[in-house]
Amino acid sequence: MKTTEKLSFQKLENEFLENILRQLVNQYTIIQIFFTRHSSSVFSYLIINLDNYTVAQNLQQSKWVRKVKERYQINIAFISSSRLHHYYSLGCPFIAFYCRASAVIYQNKEIENSIFITGQWKKYKKRFKVNENNFHHDHDLHMCQIKNLISEGTSNCIFTSYARLIEYDLDYLEELYCGNKSSSLSLDQRITNLIEYIPNLQKYFVRNSHNKYYLIDLFVKAKEATADDEAIYKEEMYEAVGIAQQNLYRLIEERFDELKKLIKKGSSENNDVSCQIEKKPKDIIISLTIEAILKSIEVEQIYLYRQITYGEKTTYYLMLITIGASNEKLKSITQSLKSKIGEKYDFVLLSHSRYWIQANLYQNQSFFFNIIRGEYLIFSSNKYLPDFHWEIPHKPYHADLYFYYKATKNIALQFSTIANNEQENYQGLESLFTLFFLSFCRTYIFVKTYYLPNYVSSQTLWELCIYADAGIQKYNYLIEQFWTDFFPYINRHLTLHHNLSMLKKGEVEQMNIIVEKLIDELHNLVVVGRLLLEVEED
């Protein structure tokens, strides 16, 4: 048992960690301890140089290491003396900066032959340059292979090659920020871990709620398809993957440059950048809207993508990027806003998670691309939220439009048959009218915007029709002249009411006019507009 030493680590300013280090020094052969605190980094760094590699590996797995990192933002790395010298000889800039002489807070005088000492920049410069050039050389080889594969059109191999290149980039980012690689972990986990050091990294990968990333999932699918001798056709994602990879490459270059400057100067620099996200609302209505939304749900971003004034009423169109905001919750927020602000204002709230939008871009990109723009952003919870991996080129198409149009037309015919029967038996007509109106709106929105809304209120659907094409407002007078409040009437007949119909002939005629005019509008859009040529034969 070693004799207890009266050690002091005042530079740490952390009594909990000081006590642990005193215990370590008296239990193990600690050669040196380096500590660096600088404002340009998320973490302070504590590097502990030991004589034994196995002991270093075991201590790195201690629970208290993670506890110190989470509680005090101090990253602790245990490294054996032989590896420390080896990494420095390879020109590793992490070691050159964080293990410099001025960072030493403890040194074992009994084993001076193992003491690690960094040289002056002029002596180290050549090693640094070799390390940096090796990265660029191997990176260029990876990129050359990918370009060749793209020219050959072999989708699976392109994605698996990109996966290897991103893994290579993560190796370097880990070495430059953490001092060692974690190749045994999945790409998802490695990205998540690195975000702790590089918050900006999360801007480049869209993830779901389980710390899985869209692009990494694409790589996995490509690998599985290759194993099953199948092809994955996602050429439109090449550019999105390329952009994410280029951002990793840029982060590596920036870190090389940062460490180079720090090593040369021998001191840290303050490189803090203030958040540039504009959170100031445009007016009092928007301010109240944001406040009401944030009180009800957790939101990543809010986009005000359209503002329409019709008569004395102004309608605000808002897209919320969040998780778990049901349409009932959106309805509650809308009602709360109208009660606070007044009936002169309406709100069309749509909500989707970031991952859902990303996963459904193949069909909806045209719609979301026109909404998710910097000039429309009125709130963001985080400056590091990821951009979407847009499909480039994107070729919008109306998948299943035939079925949507045909179903809507059939409902209109069915409605007409009942509405015009001589016996004036209107049983079930209310539900048919509701079904037609909802079907028309969804189909119309889909044709105009390539977006198919689900489970939103009838009024939201109609407002989205107006967003899709303001010309549809010419039928507003029919809604306004309806014998009762139109949208509550529609919403009321979404469910079964098991009773006899009490409709009057004049009321049926009003509904019939709406059905006839709207189905004519859809017919001109889809058939006359030659979006579906096969419908003409029906």
Side-chain angles (χ1 to χ4, degrees):
M1 187 76 179
K2 294 183 178 182
T3 304
T4 302
E5 299 182 43
K6 296 284 185 181
L7 296 174
S8 176
F9 303 98
Q10 295 181 359
K11 191 176 179 181
L12 289 177
E13 298 176 354
N14 187 309
E15 186 177 353
F16 172 78
L17 187 53
E18 284 186 36
N19 291 333
I20 292 177
L21 292 183
R22 291 189 190 99
Q23 184 178 350
L24 288 176
V25 166
N26 287 283
Q27 276 188 310
Y28 304 98
T29 305
I30 306 293
I31 300 172
Q32 286 163 301
I33 301 177
F34 306 89
F35 179 71
T36 302
R37 178 189 286 117
H38 61 100
S39 55
S40 65
S41 176
V42 175
F43 293 101
S44 299
Y45 288 83
L46 186 73
I47 316 295
I48 302 177
N49 175 14
L50 300 94
D51 70 336
N52 188 290
Y53 171 77
T54 303
V55 172
Q57 291 294 100
N58 291 337
L59 287 173
Q60 191 68 57
Q61 305 305 316
S62 302
K63 291 182 179 179
W64 65 266
V65 171
R66 185 68 188 178
K67 182 178 180 180
V68 168
K69 184 178 180 181
E70 292 174 350
R71 182 177 295 182
Y72 305 112
Q73 286 73 55
I74 297 176
N75 183 67
I76 299 175
F78 291 90
I79 185 168
S80 66
S81 182
S82 59
R83 288 175 71 87
L84 185 60
H85 285 82
H86 177 64
Y87 283 157
Y88 183 75
S89 69
L90 295 176
C92 176
F94 180 91
I95 297 299
F97 176 67
Y98 290 105
C99 298
R100 67 197 186 283
S102 59
V104 174
I105 61 171
Y106 168 79
Q107 194 155 285
N108 192 329
K109 298 177 182 178
E110 297 179 3
I111 44 179
E112 292 184 5
N113 60 317
S114 295
I115 295 296
F116 174 77
I117 301 174
T118 57
Q120 296 297 317
W121 168 251
K122 290 183 179 179
K123 295 181 180 180
Y124 172 76
K125 181 178 179 180
K126 186 176 180 180
R127 294 177 179 179
F128 178 91
K129 199 65 180 175
V130 169
N131 187 293
E132 190 176 26
N133 288 341
N134 286 341
F135 162 72
H136 288 292
H137 176 266
D138 291 349
H139 187 277
D140 290 344
L141 289 179
H142 278 288
M143 281 305 305
C144 184
Q145 180 188 27
I146 290 172
K147 289 176 181 177
N148 290 336
L149 290 171
I150 290 176
S151 66
E152 296 170 5
T154 50
S155 299
N156 293 34
C157 293
I158 293 168
F159 288 122
T160 53
S161 295
Y162 261 125
R164 285 192 292 272
L165 179 52
I166 284 180
E167 185 174 3
Y168 174 78
D169 288 341
L170 294 180
D171 284 347
Y172 264 86
L173 280 174
E174 287 172 342
E175 287 188 353
L176 292 171
Y177 278 93
C178 314
N180 61 325
K181 295 183 288 188
S182 54
S183 305
S184 61
L185 300 178
S186 68
L187 291 181
D188 289 302
Q189 187 59 55
R190 295 177 74 179
I191 292 170
T192 300
N193 291 346
L194 273 170
I195 286 172
E196 294 182 326
Y197 298 87
I198 322 168
N200 206 37
L201 184 61
Q202 60 195 300
K203 294 172 64 176
Y204 311 132
F205 294 93
V206 173
R207 66 174 161 184
N208 64 16
S209 58
H210 305 291
N211 283 336
K212 298 289 184 180
Y213 298 88
Y214 181 83
L215 292 184
I216 307 306
D217 186 50
L218 188 61
F219 297 154
V220 173
K221 289 178 180 177
K223 185 176 181 181
E224 291 173 349
T226 301
D228 296 334
D229 200 23
E230 297 177 355
I232 179 171
Y233 299 101
K234 276 284 186 181
E235 291 84 355
E236 65 276 7
M237 292 305 297
Y238 292 166
E239 184 161 341
V241 176
I243 290 171
Q245 190 282 316
Q246 288 166 19
N247 282 315
L248 292 183
Y249 180 78
R250 179 180 52 77
L251 288 174
I252 294 169
E253 287 190 312
E254 290 175 355
R255 181 61 169 169
F256 264 120
D257 188 56
E258 179 191 24
L259 288 173
K260 178 181 178 180
K261 292 177 181 177
L262 291 172
I263 294 167
K264 288 174 71 175
K265 293 181 179 180
S267 62
S268 62
E269 294 180 352
N270 189 344
N271 294 321
D272 289 343
V273 179
S274 61
C275 178
Q276 300 297 317
I277 293 175
E278 179 62 53
K279 293 186 179 180
K280 185 179 179 180
K282 296 180 179 179
D283 56 37
I284 187 62
I285 303 300
I286 298 305
S287 178
L288 290 172
T289 302
I290 294 173
E291 183 182 345
I293 292 171
L294 296 183
K295 281 183 178 178
S296 299
I297 52 176
E298 290 187 14
V299 179
E300 290 183 6
Q301 289 175 318
I302 304 174
Y303 291 86
L304 173 63
Y305 60 95
R306 183 64 63 86
Q307 183 174 324
I308 296 175
T309 300
Y310 179 76
E312 296 183 354
K313 181 168 287 190
T314 300
T315 302
Y316 295 91
Y317 290 79
L318 297 140
M319 170 65 70
L320 316 182
I321 298 182
T322 180
I323 296 175
S326 66
N327 284 295
E328 284 300 316
K329 176 63 74 174
L330 297 183
K331 182 180 177 182
S332 173
I333 294 171
T334 302
Q335 291 172 341
S336 174
L337 281 168
K338 293 176 95 171
S339 66
K340 290 179 180 178
I341 299 173
E343 294 299 320
K344 288 186 177 181
Y345 301 96
D346 246 326
F347 302 89
V348 178
L349 304 183
L350 293 179
S351 171
H352 292 289
S353 72
R354 187 173 298 274
Y355 194 83
W356 186 94
I357 294 173
Q358 179 66 62
N360 289 275
L361 286 183
Y362 67 95
Q363 178 170 291
N364 300 319
Q365 178 162 307
S366 295
F367 177 74
F368 288 113
F369 188 78
N370 290 322
I371 289 175
I372 301 172
R373 296 174 175 270
E375 62 264 33
Y376 298 150
L377 183 65
I378 60 171
F379 172 80
S380 185
S381 63
N382 187 338
K383 68 178 180 178
Y384 299 116
L385 292 170
D387 295 326
F388 287 95
H389 309 301
W390 302 112
E391 294 185 351
I392 302 174
H394 177 72
K395 297 178 181 179
Y397 66 101
H398 291 105
D400 297 329
L401 175 57
Y402 173 83
F403 300 104
Y404 302 140
Y405 171 77
K406 193 65 176 175
T408 306
K409 183 178 179 181
N410 286 343
I411 296 166
L413 292 173
Q414 191 175 359
F415 176 90
S416 180
T417 299
I418 297 176
N420 295 302
N421 77 89
E422 295 180 358
Q423 291 78 23
E424 297 186 13
N425 177 8
Y426 303 132
Q427 192 68 32
L429 203 60
E430 300 98 324
S431 296
L432 275 176
F433 180 70
T434 294
L435 183 58
F436 166 78
F437 184 79
L438 300 181
S439 298
F440 165 81
C441 289
R442 294 181 78 244
T443 308
Y444 187 85
I445 295 163
F446 181 57
V447 171
K448 290 287 187 176
T449 68
Y450 297 94
Y451 174 66
L452 194 68
N454 288 315
Y455 311 117
V456 295
S457 70
S458 58
Q459 184 169 359
T460 295
L461 282 173
W462 183 247
E463 298 289 0
L464 285 173
C465 287
I466 294 172
Y467 164 76
D469 188 341
I472 201 72
Q473 288 183 105
K474 62 188 177 185
Y475 299 117
N476 267 353
Y477 77 96
L478 294 172
I479 293 173
E480 293 166 358
Q481 293 175 1
F482 205 66
W483 79 86
T484 185
D485 289 339
F486 183 82
F487 296 112
Y489 179 85
I490 292 290
N491 295 336
R492 189 164 62 249
H493 289 94
L494 288 172
T495 56
L496 173 65
H497 296 280
H498 198 170
N499 50 25
L500 292 175
S501 174
M502 302 297 290
L503 286 171
K504 299 175 182 177
K505 188 172 182 62
E507 296 169 349
V508 172
E509 287 175 353
Q510 284 190 358
M511 289 192 290
N512 201 26
I513 290 172
I514 292 175
V515 171
E516 288 176 352
K517 289 190 177 295
L518 293 185
I519 198 61
D520 284 346
E521 187 76 24
L522 195 59
H523 174 82
N524 290 333
L525 185 60
V526 174
V527 179
V528 178
R530 301 180 71 79
L531 290 177
L532 289 177
L533 300 180
E534 63 268 30
V535 176
E536 297 180 61
E537 302 174 1
D538 294 345

